[in-house]
Amino acid sequence: MHNKLIDFIKQYHALPEPEVILIRKAFDPVLFPKNRVIEEQGAVPKYLYYIVSGFLRLFHYHENGDEVTTHINCPPGFFTSYGHFIAQTVSGENVECITECELLRITKPELDQLIASSPVMKDFSISVFQHSITYNENRSKELASLNAEQRYRKLIASHPEILHNVPVQYIASFLGMKPESLSRIRRKVALENFR
């Protein structure tokens, strides 16, 4: 499992062998079944996860009790309630495995130690943090400026694999719509593709 993380980092930075060894020691491999909540709201996130395989989501409960999915991720990439993990503050969100997930995980103290020991991981962690900020800014803009159908079309263009692995109700919530609205949009798009 570690090879996928090593290869991912090597796409962005040259990685000397001593630092490869540090990374392998710092990240623990774990396997979780589908529908398992691995970080619960109301607690400080324990781990940062690297997704080797599988799909995860961040969600919280609306005041009326409905689940609201705020983020869906697929491999490769890192996943957690990121701001709360970095600041070690209580998160209002849950991290759940949508499918069976192979993950590598690291605690905040272990990550801090790795960053202190590895110049490459220091640079890489900054780029991951910047990517997370950019993603969240873009997502806020899209929710404010695109209509439901445009958001759906953008998702299937950029991450078509989500449609085959994530239940409709999670996708709908992530896109800021009701499942019935998403079903209607999906039928429309499917008919266009069929013609």
Side-chain angles (χ1 to χ4, degrees):
M1 278 203 275
H2 288 89
N3 289 342
K4 291 205 174 179
L5 173 57
I6 301 300
D7 291 344
F8 183 64
I9 296 168
K10 282 181 176 178
Q11 290 175 29
Y12 305 94
H13 301 276
L15 199 55
E17 189 58 30
E19 296 195 34
V20 170
I21 293 165
L22 289 174
I23 291 165
R24 288 181 185 277
K25 284 183 181 175
F27 282 88
D28 293 324
V30 288
L31 177 67
F32 290 110
K34 65 187 283 187
N35 303 323
R36 170 75 59 88
V37 173
I38 58 175
E39 298 281 354
E40 293 189 1
Q41 68 181 68
V44 175
K46 293 187 190 77
Y47 298 100
L48 173 66
Y49 299 91
Y50 177 75
I51 305 170
V52 176
S53 69
F55 291 77
L56 294 164
R57 72 175 180 134
L58 273 179
F59 76 95
H60 63 269
Y61 293 98
H62 193 269
E63 57 201 29
N64 64 8
D66 290 343
E67 290 181 2
V68 178
T69 298
T70 55
H71 190 38
I72 296 171
N73 206 347
C74 47
F78 290 92
F79 202 81
T80 191
S81 181
Y82 203 76
H84 293 287
F85 175 79
I86 294 301
Q88 287 294 280
T89 53
V90 173
S91 173
E93 297 194 288
N94 301 281
V95 177
E96 181 182 40
C97 297
I98 299 170
T99 62
E100 181 179 88
C101 290
E102 289 181 294
L103 308 170
L104 294 169
R105 70 184 183 187
I106 188 168
T107 65
K108 180 66 165 56
E110 288 168 333
L111 180 62
D112 290 343
Q113 178 63 44
L114 181 60
I115 289 169
S117 307
S118 165
V120 171
M121 280 305 293
K122 181 177 182 179
D123 292 343
F124 182 68
S125 65
I126 290 168
S127 63
V128 168
F129 183 62
Q130 289 169 336
H131 175 77
S132 175
I133 291 169
T134 303
Y135 171 85
N136 288 327
E137 285 177 353
N138 289 339
R139 176 159 160 73
S140 295
K141 284 179 197 166
E142 287 170 13
L143 286 171
S145 62
L146 301 180
N147 66 34
E149 184 176 329
Q150 289 169 328
R151 292 195 297 272
Y152 174 73
R153 287 180 184 276
K154 192 163 192 300
L155 180 69
I156 61 174
S158 59
H159 297 289
E161 67 278 15
I162 284 179
L163 303 180
H164 305 294
N165 292 283
V166 177
V168 170
Q169 71 267 24
Y170 299 162
I171 297 171
S173 177
F174 175 66
L175 293 173
M177 65 181 89
K178 298 285 185 195
E180 52 271 24
S181 300
L182 178 58
S183 295
R184 192 169 55 250
I185 291 167
R186 288 179 75 174
R187 279 194 302 274
K188 178 185 174 186
V189 171
L191 279 172
E192 287 173 9
N193 293 336
F194 184 71
R195 287 183 187 135

